Amino acid sequence: MQRYKCTITYDGSQFSGYQIQPGMRTIQGEIEAALSKLHKGERIKISASGRTDAGVHAKGQVIHFDSALAIPTAKWEIALNSVLPDDIAVIRVEKAAPNFHARFDAVGKEYRYFVYLSPKRDPFKRHYAYQFPYPLDYVAMKEALKYLIGTHDFTSFCSAKTEIEDKVRTIEEIEFFEEGDLLVFRFVGNGFLYNMVRILTGTLLEVGSGNRSPYSIPDILEKKDRQYAGKTAPAHGLYLWKVFY
Amino acid sequence: MQRYKCTITYDGSQFSGYQIQPGMRTIQGEIEAALSKLHKGERIKISASGRTDAGVHAKGQVIHFDSALAIPTAKWEIALNSVLPDDIAVIRVEKAAPNFHARFDAVGKEYRYFVYLSPKRDPFKRHYAYQFPYPLDYVAMKEALKYLIGTHDFTSFCSAKTEIEDKVRTIEEIEFFEEGDLLVFRFVGNGFLYNMVRILTGTLLEVGSGNRSPYSIPDILEKKDRQYAGKTAPAHGLYLWKVFY
């Protein structure tokens, strides 16, 4: 038996999220079905660095699985891609130690959030960036970042649905830059709570459009209450970009 | 009654092409349904600069239609977009002369064809660029262009299914350039025959990959027979970019 660490990318637009659910098309479901095909019907369970919601994309999600198949490491990528649907692709397969765990060994993650700044409707962006065609005050947004970067209790920036107790996380970097008619937010941290990147993005857009002061951020953090932060930005602008080990 | 010239963009991946067909989802069908909604159920016929096949995209397709609705020109774009599905968008509406015709008045068109050069499978490009991960000899391809640009009988570069008699067309420009991991072909001409851009692209890729000499192009043109040219490149890499009037 060999454990494999496998980096995957997917277009989340046609999936009901990562986690397997009966009767739904999910990332986990499709990958486990693909592995099962390679293993003559045997069920192979995979574990990911974390779940992604319906509509959320991944450029560098990481999963692990165990296999007894005698496929050379270099051929795993080709073998898996040949049985995966075309909206999921394996981009790297590596041998891993028997105790490697995609979720528990992750020490950080990078997410990106894409905002489409133009008022022109663009069918090619409908699943891939959130259209927000309002003037943005980048100076105010940069001011807000100062209060978000660092170690904080992010209860206010986390879906109230979460069961996790400890909501202290460290955000190492948040930056944003324009790429043509897109505004790209980049978040790097040791871990992100449920909906955290989308709530951070929604709040930063409210700061940028003048509906919220950058100086309100410390208050929001202090309240430890979801209702004080901004709206949750839509799923389709979000990309799990990279997982660090 | 007012005639309108309307520039539209669409992601062709979820359509059975432009032309209306019973029981199929088509660009023409969706736009006519949208116009019908605005006109209280009245059927409004549209005419386009030309058809596009299933999977082919448009960044600047042009249509015309007549309407007696008292919508100011500046509001037509908003009105139409509010009733169109999100994979078609209106990007410009202008008043036109009563005898303006989107097809017969077009004096030229620009198409672009996107080739994805990397061997890595990319789910985000599956509907939007043709993956061709083989080395390309750009010098040979540029040599081939010399024989294609200009006025020629393009029978060999046209689907044998065509009924049009006169297959003489003028290509004013063909060029190609890299954009990241994409190779973009740009074709400008006074008119293009059925499948012509896709057959030109397929042939140029065969020249680039060494399977065909650039010096064979004059022979291919001379034969006036579809079987002498290269393969038809797939629909999903093709974009109707602009129509000239």
Side-chain angles (χ1 to χ4, degrees), chain A residues 76-104:
Chain A
W76 263 107
E77 180 183 328
I78 296 161
L80 267 167
N81 281 331
S82 72
V83 286
L84 279 169
D86 65 2
D87 47 358
I88 307 180
V90 168
I91 50 180
R92 193 160 45 249
V93 181
E94 298 154 85
K95 280 186 180 174
N99 62 345
F100 169 79
H101 197 288
R103 181 165 158 220
F104 303 129

Side-chain angles (χ1 to χ4, degrees), chain B residues 76-217:
Chain B
W76 264 107
E77 181 183 328
I78 296 161
L80 266 168
N81 281 332
S82 72
V83 286
L84 278 168
D86 64 2
D87 46 358
I88 307 180
V90 169
I91 50 179
R92 193 162 41 249
V93 181
E94 300 153 85
K95 279 187 182 176
N99 62 346
F100 169 78
H101 197 288
R103 183 165 156 220
F104 302 130
D105 288 350
V107 296
K109 279 184 186 171
E110 175 176 340
Y111 280 94
R112 295 198 183 186
Y113 195 98
F114 286 72
V115 178
Y116 172 49
L117 299 169
S118 164
K120 285 282 170 194
R121 203 161 87 154
D122 184 346
F124 297 98
K125 295 198 174 73
R126 73 193 190 283
H127 295 311
Y128 308 112
Y130 168 45
Q131 188 173 15
F132 191 86
Y134 311 105
L136 288 170
D137 178 347
Y138 290 159
V139 174
M141 286 161 65
K142 278 196 179 137
E143 187 64 27
L145 295 188
K146 294 182 193 165
Y147 303 105
L148 291 168
I149 294 168
T151 303
H152 304 284
D153 183 318
F154 284 101
T155 303
S156 295
F157 291 91
C158 169
S159 166
K161 281 184 263 174
T162 308
E163 284 164 29
I164 290 167
E165 289 283 319
D166 178 12
K167 289 171 182 142
V168 175
R169 294 290 182 279
T170 300
I171 301 186
E172 277 127 42
E173 291 178 63
I174 312 178
E175 57 167 2
F176 54 85
F177 48 91
E178 287 189 7
E179 259 183 19
D181 50 15
L182 295 172
L183 179 68
V184 185
F185 287 92
R186 206 177 140 260
F187 300 86
V188 180
N190 69 347
F192 292 90
L193 299 161
Y194 187 50
N195 277 357
M196 181 167 152
V197 177
R198 291 166 57 190
I199 299 169
L200 286 167
T201 302
T203 306
L204 287 167
L205 291 174
E206 289 176 20
V207 168
S209 50
N211 295 315
R212 187 182 285 276
S213 159
Y215 308 108
S216 69
I217 303 286

Side-chain angles (χ1 to χ4, degrees), chain A residues 24-37:
Chain A
M24 307 296 259
R25 186 167 186 266
T26 64
I27 314 294
Q28 186 184 1
E30 294 294 327
I31 298 175
E32 292 189 352
L35 280 166
S36 179
K37 269 185 211 165

